[in-house]
Amino acid sequence: MTYLSRIWLNPLRTGAQGLIRSPQKTHAAVLGGLAAQPVTERVLWRLETSQPHRAELLVLTETRPSWEHLVEQAGWPGSDQPQAMVRDYQPLLDRLQHGREFAFRLRANPVTATRTPTKPSARQKEHLAQERPRGVRVPHRTAAHQLTWLLDRVERWGFTLPTSEDTGPAARLTARERLTFTKSTAGATGADTSGRRVTLSTATFDGALRVTDPDQARHTLLHGVGPAKAYGCGLITLAPLTPAGG
């Protein structure tokens, strides 16, 4: 089975502030909600911080998770309001019928591959120095390129974007962010040690999708899109717009 979870985080608490600042910490906290360790299942997540009084963490897992540790460390423990909700994802997957439209949200890491980056990092230089190297990933930094990245891929995901003569494709870029954090690694004693710096250019898209290939659309929702899935990118969430056959 597959489960979609929603966990509220209290941005006034130190634990929540650490999660909001570091995708690395959020990734570790998400994996800590799964009983089978080390985690080998597919996990997708997205952190929403648009509300001033609470953040929303969405997580898609293959097994039923437990989020008591997040509520205790970063939520409102003891509150009589539900802090974490876990729902079976299958009913939504069953609604993915040809021609049906959904509102969608996606936070992605739009990138392209090139053998001639403008300012290659040390790691990229090392990679490109290899015999017959493959291209390295570089981020799309402008809003126009990020939106084009979405438009070029949505059909292979099993969807199309409804269009109108007045407004064009039913997708808009609603947020852009550049994140820099340290990817920690475990030392010989098991303690975290300083790791390499990671920089992500993320783009959040909102709009509407129409299902063209239900099987491929289900695969897309379950596996996510683009790189940086471990850091909160790639999860597409849907909300119904029209009834089946509408």
Side-chain angles (χ1 to χ4, degrees), residues 170-194:
R172 62 191 186 279
L173 182 59
T174 55
R176 304 172 64 222
E177 190 174 6
R178 188 172 184 268
L179 303 173
T180 302
F181 57 95
T182 300
K183 181 178 180 180
S184 301
T185 57
T189 62
D192 286 343
T193 59
S194 297

Side-chain angles (χ1 to χ4, degrees), residues 25 34 38 51 74 82 90 126 139 151 155 179 183 187 218 229 234 246:
K25 291 182 178 179
L34 301 171
Q51 299 185 56
Q90 191 60 44
E126 181 181 351
L151 299 178
E155 291 191 6
L179 303 173
K183 181 178 180 180
R218 293 185 188 99
K229 296 183 182 70

Side-chain angles (χ1 to χ4, degrees), residues 1-59:
M1 297 183 67
T2 305
Y3 299 89
L4 181 66
S5 301
R6 185 224 66 205
I7 309 101
W8 295 125
L9 304 180
N10 182 353
L12 296 179
R13 301 195 63 186
T14 302
Q17 293 167 6
L19 298 177
I20 291 170
R21 287 194 299 264
S22 173
Q24 172 78 6
K25 291 182 178 179
T26 307
H27 174 64
V30 166
L31 296 188
L34 301 171
Q37 298 286 333
V39 175
T40 57
E41 67 179 80
R42 176 189 62 252
V43 179
L44 300 172
W45 62 271
R46 185 174 74 232
L47 184 61
E48 303 273 7
T49 59
S50 58
Q51 299 185 56
H53 303 299
R54 64 182 181 185
E56 180 184 43
L57 179 60
L58 300 173
V59 187

Side-chain angles (χ1 to χ4, degrees), residues 42-187:
R42 176 189 62 252
V43 179
L44 300 172
W45 62 271
R46 185 174 74 232
L47 184 61
E48 303 273 7
T49 59
S50 58
Q51 299 185 56
H53 303 299
R54 64 182 181 185
E56 180 184 43
L57 179 60
L58 300 173
V59 187
L60 190 69
T61 58
E62 295 179 356
T63 57
R64 189 175 184 88
S66 174
W67 304 118
E68 282 84 355
H69 67 297
L70 276 174
V71 174
E72 180 65 30
Q73 298 169 15
W76 287 266
S79 172
D80 58 1
Q81 296 184 359
Q83 301 297 297
M85 299 179 64
V86 181
R87 295 288 183 265
D88 182 1
Y89 204 51
Q90 191 60 44
L92 175 63
L93 298 177
D94 292 340
R95 296 190 186 103
L96 296 177
Q97 301 171 19
H98 186 276
R100 191 165 189 189
E101 294 184 3
F102 295 83
F104 83 94
R105 172 167 289 182
L106 164 66
R107 188 189 196 203
N109 174 222
V111 299
T112 187
T114 179
R115 293 186 179 181
T116 56
T118 303
K119 296 180 180 180
S121 66
R123 291 172 62 89
Q124 289 174 335
K125 290 179 180 178
E126 181 181 351
H127 173 83
L128 293 171
Q130 299 175 3
E131 184 178 359
R132 296 181 179 179
R134 299 179 63 182
V136 295
R137 289 175 175 174
V138 295
H140 288 302
R141 299 188 184 278
T142 69
H145 283 127
Q146 290 172 342
L147 188 56
T148 298
W149 177 91
L150 174 72
L151 299 178
D152 288 346
R153 288 161 175 76
V154 67
E155 291 191 6
R156 73 183 73 164
W157 297 341
F159 300 96
T160 190
L161 289 165
T163 60
S164 70
E165 294 183 359
D166 295 332
T167 60
R172 62 191 186 279
L173 182 59
T174 55
R176 304 172 64 222
E177 190 174 6
R178 188 172 184 268
L179 303 173
T180 302
F181 57 95
T182 300
K183 181 178 180 180
S184 301
T185 57

